[in-house]
Amino acid sequence: MARYTYTLNPDKIQKNEKQTYRRSQLEKMTTFQLKEICRKEQVVIPTAQRWDREGLIRLIMRFRGQKDYHHLTAADEEGLARIQEFLNRCPMKISTDDDIRLPGTIVLYRGTGIDVMDGYEVESSRKLYEGNLLLTDEKNQVYTCFYMKEQNKKMYLLRGQEMPILPLDKNRYFILYFPDERISEYLWERCQGNLGTEPGYAQAVRIPLLNLEVRDVEKTDMPLVIDFGSSNTTMGICTIDNHQKIARTEGGSVIPSVIGIRKVEDTVIHYAFGYEALKMCRQNYRDEDVPVFFDIKRWVSDPERSESVILDDGHKYSIKRKEMLKAFLEYLLDMGKQQFKCSFQNIQMLAPVRQKEKFHDLFTQLLPDYQVDCQLDEGMAVLFQSISQMITQSNYQRGKWYRALIIDCGGGTTDLTSGRFRIENNRVSYMVDLETSYENGDTNFGGNNLTYRIFQLLKIKLIHALGYEKGEISFAGTALEEGFERAERLIPTRFKEYEGRRREEYFSVKNNFYYLFNLSEQIKKQFFQKKSLYELRLGTCQSEEKKGIFLDKWKLSMMEDGKLSHIEQELEIWFYLNEIEDVLRPDIYGLIERFLDQKFNSGELQKYGMIKLTGQSCKSRLFTEALKQFVPGKLIQNTRSEEDGEKLKMCCLEGALSYFSNCKLGYMKVNRRYEVSALPYEIMAYTHENQEHILIRSLDKENHIGWISRFKIGRQLDLYLNSAQGRRLKTYCFEYDASQFTRTYQEEIDRQYPGTIIQEETDTILEGEMKFFIWVSRKRWGFIVLPILREGDLLYKGEETFFDFEDDTWELNFFDGRK
């Protein structure tokens, strides 16, 4: 009989649309209900493993999860016209609901949007969803589109930067909210040009506005100051009325220096930055790549290299570092424009003193439409914060030279900078002489090193909690490293070693690393927070009685019988302050000793009147304890217990903002001078007798010229970069062709290299001898090699070649898959 039934629209194919679910809905369901959803939606539950409630939620979210709402963030006039056509045709029941409240006055800026930081909170006793809203008049004429977003359990009104504002010619305006989520989604589809089945009816809530203003974003001559850090970035401006404004995000005033890759469409890369990138990393599944990049400040040393990532579409993409850095900078500029409501022409980058020139050259290239400068190095900015406070409090002696040491422990590096300054007060302004000098540094020690130690401890505690090891955990000698190696065999994290294995294995191990490393970062921050914390629980079960950090066992894979599988048992791990400090103490004490021991023994340390600790990692009291071995505690600044990590990060930016504000107002004339006085490296080569020959000595403050000779038939000179402790860091291969050398004279050499290659050195070059002169370029943070050959009693000169000290071929990288 079925063949004789009547079918409406026989040409239209009926599609069986799969239902999608939100996590908030699934979390309210029982295990039985979740299994029923899997059965109904044909989500296959693997029989080889037992799936508890959390596992079922993850399985459903992966294959039937409803992701973010579609928000109207951008449109053209045609898109708005299509929405208008729908409103004109669709029968609507419009009500006025006093239960939905938002600020009566809204200010819109052309060229920028509205975000959470603007504070347009939407309040209601009813449950609101993150849908699209329309700005209309009493005749439902559409002028622009908004959307809502929930953050910290509050709902905010937002508008996309690329959403146009049609000319306003009315006095009364309203915002339309659609209680039915399907209408909100249809508005987005229609704006995109996807004209599907049109709803035949719609309900809307009309919310009246008291006042609506539209303004233009004005240009400003004041610079946007950016402190680009290894782990976090801060930025701010001084307004025209001389107030400091700091950019804020959902996590406070620090912006994580993290870049995520969402997708690539037609060669267009869709990025996520800051906290959004961190969320991407946390939401990743076990057998997917982690398309997130950390420690991006190191890329400044080698921006031409590319990074690879595998996205959800299964394709592998290679993206240049400088492209990603440019995108991150543009994200910061858009954030500054949106929050400060002005467009910038001048950008001031705060750079490490040793890399000022490199920062300036790279960021000028990446931002050609802006005037990029690096007037202040990070040490100067920190010192100027102290200078500003001393002047404000009238706590200084006129003409007296003050000396300070600045230890900046950031996310990836630690720098030791010395500075001195004096303050004069003449009839019209203050006169400040300010000098900074790079003294020492460790490009392989920072906050990530501390996180890595906790990461090692966490893995050891995990295998104890799983029952594979028993007894107390020892930190003496090499016990931590040995315990970590045993843990690696059970919970692998060195994903570099799995590149030749199956895709699922590689991604599972990679996710192990990123998940555990991020957990370790959370543990570190908990113990370094303002309030004292002596113990911390990490567990798979969370409740009012059992608080702490949630351990998501479905994020982890462990090795059993040569195969990676889920962790199924419930886990509870406790961390204590004393053991965290026992793990971190050797590294922190060793760093401070390397930096200050020589100055202490020579008596130079007594000349400094203050020691300033900056960087979020310096929140740990271990830095203060280590410093007290060398200096009285009263000299140590910025380590008080009430200081939090964010405040230590902000002192550099606040000092820079004070500097530019005082210079703008003419309150101060500042004479700046900076230099790289010492290098934490030595350059070495081998003689023909295989003897080590030091060309440039570590921490040498003089501009000594090193040299080494070879016979003219050679074609390559190997040079070696060592740390201050003599550890081999890198090998440079200087290749040359003596047949391409050009004739030269001592007069020409004196003119090109005054005071560098003197005649006494060239006169000693023998017939057939090639002498390589090596000297340091402190300004460019590298060294120069120049070969000179004597042949037929004439001098010939090769090409001058520059080599960088730092690049990430030898720098310690915690995200390279070898940890």
Side-chain angles (χ1 to χ4, degrees):
M1 293 294 294
R3 62 183 297 181
Y4 297 105
T5 57
Y6 180 79
T7 303
L8 182 65
N9 296 333
D11 294 331
K12 184 175 180 179
I13 300 174
Q14 185 72 25
K15 292 184 179 180
N16 184 21
E17 293 185 356
K18 297 181 175 65
Q19 186 173 348
T20 57
Y21 303 86
R22 296 195 188 92
R23 186 177 183 89
S24 58
Q25 296 173 317
L26 299 176
E27 287 176 340
K28 298 175 183 177
M29 298 181 184
T30 64
T31 302
F32 176 77
Q33 289 173 316
L34 295 171
K35 288 182 177 179
E36 281 298 296
I37 289 177
C38 292
R39 182 191 61 79
K40 183 177 68 172
E41 299 297 334
Q42 299 178 350
V43 176
V44 179
I45 303 175
T47 56
Q49 298 174 356
R50 298 192 306 274
W51 289 75
D52 61 7
R53 185 169 171 277
E54 177 64 18
L56 290 170
I57 290 174
R58 288 193 169 277
L59 192 66
I60 297 169
M61 283 299 298
R62 181 170 189 182
F63 296 102
R64 299 290 186 271
Q66 186 176 113
K67 297 185 178 180
D68 296 334
Y69 290 93
H70 290 114
H71 288 146
L72 289 165
T73 59
D76 53 22
E77 292 186 6
E78 293 181 358
L80 291 180
R82 285 191 291 269
I83 292 176
Q84 187 68 61
E85 291 171 2
F86 166 68
L87 292 184
N88 294 340
R89 285 197 304 267
C90 182
M92 281 200 301
K93 180 181 179 181
I94 298 178
S95 62
T96 302
D97 192 341
D98 295 334
D99 187 45
I100 301 178
R101 300 174 300 278
L102 53 79
T105 299
I106 293 179
V107 180
L108 304 179
Y109 286 85
R110 295 187 182 91
T112 189
I114 295 174
D115 71 3
V116 173
M117 296 302 131
D118 287 297
Y120 291 118
E121 185 179 347
V122 184
E123 298 177 297
S124 177
S125 60
R126 70 164 70 180
K127 177 63 177 176
L128 302 176
Y129 70 98
E130 296 182 339
N132 296 301
L133 303 93
L134 303 177
L135 176 68
T136 66
D137 57 19
E138 66 275 5
K139 296 181 179 180
N140 289 340
Q141 175 68 38
V142 179
Y143 293 93
T144 192
C145 304
F146 299 97
Y147 63 95
M148 287 197 292
K149 182 179 179 181
E150 185 177 6
Q151 183 170 304
N152 298 327
K153 299 183 179 179
K154 293 181 180 180
M155 197 70 75
Y156 292 91
L157 186 71
L158 281 69
R159 189 179 71 86
Q161 178 178 336
E162 298 179 17
M163 178 59 65
I165 307 169
L166 299 184
L168 303 178
D169 54 2
K170 302 284 184 178
N171 293 322
R172 295 190 64 194
Y173 296 95
F174 306 86
I175 289 181
L176 283 187
Y177 168 75
F178 300 92
D180 189 343
E181 299 177 17
R182 291 176 298 175
I183 303 298
S184 172
E185 289 294 305
Y186 180 74
L187 291 177
W188 182 85
E189 293 283 355
R190 191 168 184 87
C191 185
Q192 302 301 311
N194 305 324
L195 305 179
T197 303
E198 186 173 302
Y201 173 78
Q203 280 186 312
V205 177
R206 179 180 281 171
I207 308 165
L209 295 178
L210 178 65
N211 186 30
L212 180 70
E213 296 182 37
V214 179
R215 302 175 185 173
D216 290 317
V217 173
E218 297 182 359
K219 291 184 178 180
T220 179
D221 291 331
M222 289 302 295
L224 177 66
V225 184
I226 301 176
D227 180 13
F228 178 31
S230 298
S231 296
N232 295 294
T233 295
T234 58
M235 65 178 181
I237 64 165
C238 288
T239 61
I240 195 168
D241 56 355
N242 202 36
H243 285 94
Q244 292 185 7
K245 284 190 176 181
I246 308 296
R248 297 187 61 81
T249 62
E250 58 188 86
S253 296
V254 295
I255 306 159
S257 303
V258 183
I259 299 175
I261 310 296
R262 294 189 183 277
K263 58 183 178 179
V264 178
E265 290 181 330
D266 298 328
T267 70
V268 177
I269 303 171
H270 296 264
Y271 293 99
F273 302 103
Y275 285 100
E276 289 298 320
L278 291 180
K279 288 178 184 176
M280 281 182 60
C281 190
R282 289 194 293 267
Q283 293 170 357
N284 211 61
Y285 290 100
R286 293 188 323 133
D287 57 352
E288 296 175 348
D289 198 4
V290 184
V292 177
F293 299 98
F294 295 82
D295 211 3
I296 59 176
K297 186 177 181 179
R298 290 187 187 271
W299 293 357
V300 175
S301 297
D302 193 2
E304 297 297 333
R305 282 181 57 189
S306 296
E307 298 289 337
S308 297
V309 64
I310 300 174
L311 301 183
D312 291 341
D313 60 9
H315 290 92
K316 184 175 183 179
Y317 297 92
S318 183
I319 308 172
K320 276 201 168 184
R321 289 175 167 182
K322 66 179 183 181
E323 290 183 16
M324 289 191 276
L325 284 174
K326 181 177 182 178
F328 182 70
L329 291 173
E330 290 174 344
Y331 157 76
L332 295 178
L333 294 174
D334 284 342
M335 180 189 294
K337 180 180 180 181
Q338 193 283 324
Q339 292 194 22
F340 305 138
K341 309 306 180 189
C342 54
S343 61
F344 302 95
Q345 304 172 71
N346 303 319
I347 311 296
Q348 287 287 347
M349 301 291 299
L350 302 180
V353 62
R354 69 184 192 279
Q355 288 185 311
K356 279 189 65 173
E357 297 298 323
K358 192 170 291 186
F359 264 60
H360 178 266
D361 293 344
L362 175 61
F363 293 127
T364 298
Q365 175 189 351
L366 297 182
L367 299 174
D369 297 330
Y370 298 85
Q371 180 182 340
V372 181
D373 206 347
C374 299
Q375 283 190 30
L376 294 182
D377 60 74
E378 294 168 346
M380 274 189 178
V382 170
L383 274 184
F384 202 86
Q385 188 200 37
S386 295
I387 293 170
S388 180
Q389 291 175 350
M390 293 168 69
I391 291 176
T392 302
Q393 300 168 6
S394 298
N395 184 25
Y396 69 93
Q397 295 181 28
R398 294 179 60 174
K400 177 184 176 181
W401 281 101
Y402 293 89
R403 299 192 65 182
L405 268 183
I406 304 153
I407 301 175
D408 180 14
C409 184
T413 63
T414 303
D415 292 324
L416 178 68
T417 306
S418 68
R420 66 173 196 154
F421 60 88
R422 66 179 176 185
I423 306 168
E424 293 282 1
N425 188 1
N426 61 23
R427 188 171 60 87
V428 295
S429 67
Y430 293 100
M431 302 287 292
V432 179
D433 294 311
L434 176 59
E435 301 174 1
T436 55
S437 176
Y438 183 81
E439 297 288 335
N440 205 338
D442 191 332
T443 56
N444 287 327
F445 188 90
N448 287 334
N449 297 70
L450 307 182
T451 303
Y452 179 69
R453 289 302 185 200
I454 298 174
F455 168 79
Q456 291 180 301
L457 177 62
L458 172 58
K459 283 184 62 173
I460 294 171
K461 281 181 171 286
L462 272 172
I463 64 172
H464 276 72
L466 290 166
Y468 289 95
E469 290 194 5
K470 296 182 180 180
E472 293 186 3
I473 300 173
S474 174
F475 309 120
T478 60
L480 183 69
E481 297 291 345
E482 292 170 355
F484 179 70
E485 290 300 321
R486 293 194 298 272
E488 173 64 22
R489 292 192 286 270
L490 292 168
I491 306 176
T493 54
R494 294 172 183 158
F495 55 89
K496 187 72 175 178
E497 299 174 2
Y498 285 74
E499 286 184 333
R501 301 201 189 186
R502 291 187 301 113
R503 171 192 173 102
E504 291 79 6
E505 287 185 282
Y506 172 78
F507 288 150
S508 294
V509 176
K510 190 173 184 179
N511 276 282
N512 271 356
F513 170 80
Y514 276 92
Y515 181 63
L516 291 177
F517 199 87
N518 286 329
L519 271 185
S520 304
E521 182 72 17
Q522 293 180 49
I523 295 169
K524 183 183 75 172
K525 288 180 178 179
Q526 289 284 335
F527 279 106
F528 287 4
Q529 65 184 345
K530 187 185 301 184
K531 297 178 182 178
S532 298
L533 182 70
Y534 294 96
E535 63 179 19
L536 177 66
R537 178 184 174 274
L538 185 71
T540 53
C541 297
Q542 297 289 85
S543 65
E544 286 297 321
E545 298 78 22
K546 295 183 177 182
K547 297 183 179 180
I549 297 177
F550 175 61
L551 174 62
D552 190 347
K553 62 183 180 181
W554 292 100
K555 284 281 189 180
L556 292 174
S557 303
M558 67 176 297
M559 190 68 71
E560 286 185 329
D561 300 325
K563 295 182 179 179
L564 289 167
S565 60
H566 287 288
I567 294 177
E568 297 186 3
Q569 69 187 78
E570 301 298 329
L571 298 173
E572 184 176 65
I573 302 172
W574 286 90
F575 289 85
Y576 301 96
L577 177 62
N578 65 304
E579 64 183 7
I580 294 290
E581 292 186 337
D582 285 345
V583 169
L584 303 183
R585 184 173 284 109
D587 289 334
I588 295 176
Y589 273 60
L591 174 80
I592 298 299
E593 184 176 351
R594 291 198 304 273
F595 278 7
L596 301 185
D597 194 50
Q598 183 179 358
K599 289 182 177 292
F600 178 78
N601 292 331
S602 66
E604 185 182 353
L605 200 56
Q606 300 175 9
K607 300 176 183 178
Y608 295 97
M610 66 179 76
I611 308 289
K612 292 184 70 72
L613 284 169
T614 68
Q616 290 175 292
S617 301
C618 291
K619 175 59 183 171
S620 171
R621 66 183 184 184
L622 293 174
F623 281 91
T624 309
E625 292 178 6
L627 279 173
K628 286 181 179 178
Q629 298 179 101
F630 299 96
V631 296
K634 64 181 181 180
L635 298 182
I636 305 171
Q637 297 187 1
N638 283 346
T639 56
R640 300 187 303 272
S641 59
E642 66 268 19
E643 298 284 10
D644 58 20
E646 185 172 302
K647 180 65 178 177
L648 291 172
K649 173 65 178 174
M650 295 301 298
C651 70
C652 185
L653 177 65
E654 290 172 351
L657 292 176
S658 295
Y659 169 83
F660 290 111
S661 175
N662 280 283
C663 291
K664 179 192 74 170
L665 296 172
Y667 291 165
M668 292 184 189
K669 183 180 185 302
V670 182
N671 301 311
R672 297 175 288 110
R673 189 171 74 87
Y674 77 94
E675 64 176 4
V676 178
S677 62
L679 305 168
Y681 309 118
E682 69 177 19
I683 303 169
M684 185 271 293
Y686 286 100
T687 67
H688 68 284
E689 297 176 316
N690 203 33
Q691 300 295 313
E692 291 189 0
H693 178 52
I694 305 299
L695 303 168
I696 304 294
R697 296 193 175 277
S698 173
L699 303 179
D700 182 8
K701 296 186 178 183
E702 302 296 329
N703 291 318
H704 289 127
I705 311 298
W707 60 267
I708 191 167
S709 292
R710 293 285 191 270
F711 190 58
K712 67 178 183 180
I713 61 172
R715 300 184 64 87
Q716 178 175 310
L717 173 68
D718 290 340
L719 299 168
Y720 303 92
L721 184 72
N722 296 334
S723 69
Q725 295 75 42
R727 182 169 61 90
R728 179 66 48 80
L729 300 175
K730 183 179 180 180
T731 302
Y732 302 90
C733 298
F734 175 57
E735 297 181 347
Y736 56 90
D737 183 357
S739 66
Q740 301 299 314
F741 287 12
T742 59
R743 178 79 170 90
T744 189
Y745 304 89
Q746 184 61 46
E747 293 78 8
E748 181 184 10
I749 295 173
D750 291 339
R751 186 171 60 254
Q752 291 182 346
Y753 308 99
T756 300
I757 303 175
I758 59 177
Q759 185 167 352
E760 284 82 352
E761 295 295 343
T762 57
D763 285 347
T764 59
I765 300 176
L766 302 176
E767 178 67 24
E769 176 187 356
M770 189 179 303
K771 185 178 265 190
F772 299 86
F773 294 91
I774 294 94
W775 67 93
V776 169
S777 174
R778 287 176 164 83
K779 188 175 182 181
R780 297 167 65 188
W781 198 243
F783 65 94
I784 295 168
V785 179
L786 179 71
I788 296 180
L789 166 69
R790 185 179 295 278
E791 188 173 40
D793 207 28
L794 299 175
L795 293 178
Y796 294 87
K797 178 170 66 72
E799 287 288 333
E800 172 191 318
T801 305
F802 173 79
F803 293 96
D804 276 303
F805 281 135
E806 294 172 7
D807 62 47
D808 55 9
T809 59
W810 64 265
E811 291 176 338
L812 186 60
N813 183 355
F814 288 100
F815 305 96
D816 62 359
R818 295 180 171 88
K819 310 296 182 292

